[in-house]
Amino acid sequence: MTHLTQLAPAALVLLPLLASAVSVTLRDVPRRILGCVVGVLVLALTVPVLVAVSGGTVVAMPLGGFAAPLGISVRVDGMSAAFLALTALVGAAVSVYAAAMPSSTGVALVSDGTRPAAWRASHPGFWPLWLGCWSGLNAVFVSGDLFNTYVGLELVGLTAVALVALGGPGSWAAALRYLFVAVIGSLLLLIGVAMVVSLTGTLDIPQSADALRALRKTDPASAEPALGLAIVLMTVGMALKVALVPMHRWLIPAHAGAPGAVSPLMSALVVKAALFVVLRIWLDLLGRPTPPLVGLGWMLGVLGAAALLVGSVLALRQSRLKPLIAYSTVAQVGYWFLLFPVLVAPDTENLIDQPAIAPETAEVVAGAVAATVILALGHGLAKASLFLAAGFLKDAYGTDEIARLRGVGRHHPALVLSMGLSAIGLVGLPLSLSFAGKWQLATTAVAAGHYWILAVLVVATLLSGAYMLKILAPLLIEAQDGLPGDAAPSPAPGDHPALARAIPLALAILVIATGFAGAWLNDLLAVGDLR
């Protein structure tokens, strides 16, 4: 392992954090340049880490030369590398988009449609907050101990709240509600971490996992109840941050009311930090679920199925573009929690009479975990592209009412094409990365005897196709009374830079191109597995 590869994980945290502090002192144009440079550098630093982990090496380094439990360490395994890559790609793309947009682009309307207000594409606080959020995301993904995971998650939550508030007075109520959610979720996580430390005497995740396994063998009567309560508290806290139904009400106004460059970050990246922590807790820290936690796993699976149905139905009822896309995030979150019934009940006895295809239990669990991560990665790319395109249209025409955006595909074919490719990914059609994840989740569900998951996948796919069609169809049909821009104050389409229109298309192409990476991602996610 080269010295650069060892230093890269820490640099992925420190570089955006330092740039965040520096950007406060800069004017608008230098701040934009700095944001783009940081995006390129983070991409460059992610590559050697991803290559090393792909080769089967867990990248780890004790900070300051002090090993755990006295010191803290950064650790990048397969799952960390996958989320780092997603964050680097989406983060760099959104940074370029935000830098390319002009400082003032047209006129937007307030909710009553009568009082125009100037809309600003680049708030001075965007770059310090976004770069700080990027640092927190990377900190969550590379942290080797529980407390620094909590610190990174807090940084993500607080900066994300402030980013939502940049949407103006109309977004302040949503930002305040999101702040309460972020604080409560982090508090539950911190209480759970404290309980784990009281049992193990260490914050280091691999050491805590080893200590818990030993303690559950030697003194299960005292270890199991405390560990079970800690897992419940941490899981509920992270489910709140992910916006799992019925804890989803905060997400819609926060994601829909945020500025055009913020919404994709919220949906594609910020919610993934909490998902990552949930997976770390259940897969690396817990290992073997205890009987009480089996019930929790089933509950999470049922809530995931409910999220897919409720979120999709509510998305179909929306008349505005960004709220519809936000409700689709509520729905897509449900896919990630279908993992837990397979995790707590990976029964392969239904295939015992077919030894040629009967997998081992560990293989079923590993397949379900890989499917979940692949679905999360595919969602991140598709939702970033979709929200960027929707934000661009709202900024250009001063509205995101779907009925008033009829026919914009004639003037923005690249944007509508990017939305179409993103729809392929969100629906999970063949060639997309999400299709690979859905197919693998379906096969592991069959192997584990959870046939009900197949029914949920089929219904959810049909519903997601319906609400994506509700988005795309009007954009491709000409309006009878002229362009929507004729009815609402808006700039000419040519006033917007071509680069800003190209970024959503580039991400949408990745949605399809990464569909061929399913096998590679499976191998990557097996690196450093602590189970």
Side-chain angles (χ1 to χ4, degrees), residues 124-273:
F126 171 79
W127 290 106
L129 291 171
W130 157 229
L131 293 173
C133 183
W134 201 344
S135 174
L137 287 166
N138 288 344
V140 171
F141 300 144
V142 306
S143 177
D145 71 271
L146 292 169
F147 184 74
N148 282 285
T149 298
Y150 161 78
V151 172
L153 199 62
E154 275 290 87
L155 180 57
V156 171
L158 294 177
T159 53
V161 167
L163 284 168
V164 170
L166 297 183
S171 301
W172 291 349
L176 182 60
R177 182 187 299 181
Y178 182 25
L179 176 62
F180 291 149
V181 167
V183 170
I184 293 172
S186 296
L187 180 61
L188 292 175
L189 175 64
L190 185 60
I191 295 172
V193 168
M195 296 181 69
V196 171
V197 173
S198 69
L199 290 172
T200 64
T202 179
L203 288 164
D204 186 74
I205 294 176
Q207 290 184 0
S208 293
D210 292 338
L212 287 173
R213 278 193 288 267
L215 189 60
R216 291 164 77 183
K217 289 180 180 178
T218 59
D219 191 11
S222 62
E224 297 289 5
L227 177 61
L229 179 58
I231 297 297
V232 169
L233 290 174
M234 291 189 287
T235 301
V236 171
M238 295 304 97
L240 185 62
K241 283 177 172 284
V242 174
L244 177 64
V245 167
M247 299 173 284
H248 67 284
R249 295 291 297 274
W250 65 267
L251 182 143
I252 309 305
H255 287 202
V262 174
S263 295
L265 300 175
M266 299 292 297
S267 184
L269 301 181
V270 171
V271 296
K272 302 301 189 302

Side-chain angles (χ1 to χ4, degrees), residues 207-502:
Q207 290 184 0
S208 293
D210 292 338
L212 287 173
R213 278 193 288 267
L215 189 60
R216 291 164 77 183
K217 289 180 180 178
T218 59
D219 191 11
S222 62
E224 297 289 5
L227 177 61
L229 179 58
I231 297 297
V232 169
L233 290 174
M234 291 189 287
T235 301
V236 171
M238 295 304 97
L240 185 62
K241 283 177 172 284
V242 174
L244 177 64
V245 167
M247 299 173 284
H248 67 284
R249 295 291 297 274
W250 65 267
L251 182 143
I252 309 305
H255 287 202
V262 174
S263 295
L265 300 175
M266 299 292 297
S267 184
L269 301 181
V270 171
V271 296
K272 302 301 189 302
L275 170 66
F276 181 88
V277 175
V278 169
L279 295 178
R280 273 281 184 254
I281 292 168
W282 279 77
L283 301 177
D284 294 345
L285 188 64
L286 178 61
R288 175 178 55 85
T290 57
L293 293 178
V294 171
L296 177 61
W298 276 101
M299 182 181 296
L300 292 173
V302 170
L303 292 178
L308 283 164
L309 301 179
V310 172
S312 297
V313 170
L314 291 176
L316 284 168
R317 298 177 60 184
Q318 303 306 304
S319 61
R320 292 170 51 212
L321 201 54
K322 291 187 71 174
L324 191 157
I325 299 172
Y327 270 113
S328 78
T329 298
V330 172
Q332 298 282 322
V333 164
Y335 285 119
W336 312 336
F337 286 86
L338 296 179
L339 156 73
F340 290 93
V342 178
L343 187 62
V344 300
D347 186 9
T348 59
E349 292 183 359
N350 61 309
L351 298 178
I352 200 68
D353 58 340
Q354 303 180 50
I357 64 172
E360 298 291 336
T361 297
E363 295 175 347
V364 171
V365 172
V369 172
T372 301
V373 175
I374 290 172
L375 283 168
L377 298 177
H379 170 268
L381 292 172
K383 192 54 65 72
S385 174
L386 192 59
F387 255 129
L388 282 176
F392 186 99
L393 292 176
K394 182 179 181 180
D395 299 341
Y397 293 101
T399 180
D400 64 345
E401 290 285 345
I402 297 175
R404 298 182 65 188
L405 292 174
R406 291 173 64 91
V408 299
R410 177 181 178 182
H411 297 275
H412 300 284
L415 284 179
V416 177
L417 175 60
S418 68
M419 297 175 80
L421 294 176
S422 299
I424 291 175
L426 290 176
V427 176
L429 297 179
L431 297 183
S432 67
L433 185 59
S434 294
F435 174 77
K438 279 189 178 182
W439 181 268
Q440 186 159 328
L441 182 59
T443 55
T444 53
V446 170
H450 296 288
Y451 297 104
W452 62 274
I453 293 180
L454 293 180
V456 172
L457 290 176
V458 170
V459 173
T461 299
L462 294 175
L463 288 173
S464 58
Y467 64 67
M468 289 308 305
L469 184 62
K470 182 175 182 177
I471 292 177
L472 291 171
L475 304 183
L476 296 171
I477 300 174
E478 285 291 339
Q480 295 180 356
D481 299 324
L483 291 174
D486 297 333
S490 66
D495 291 342
H496 292 74
L499 181 59
R501 297 195 296 270

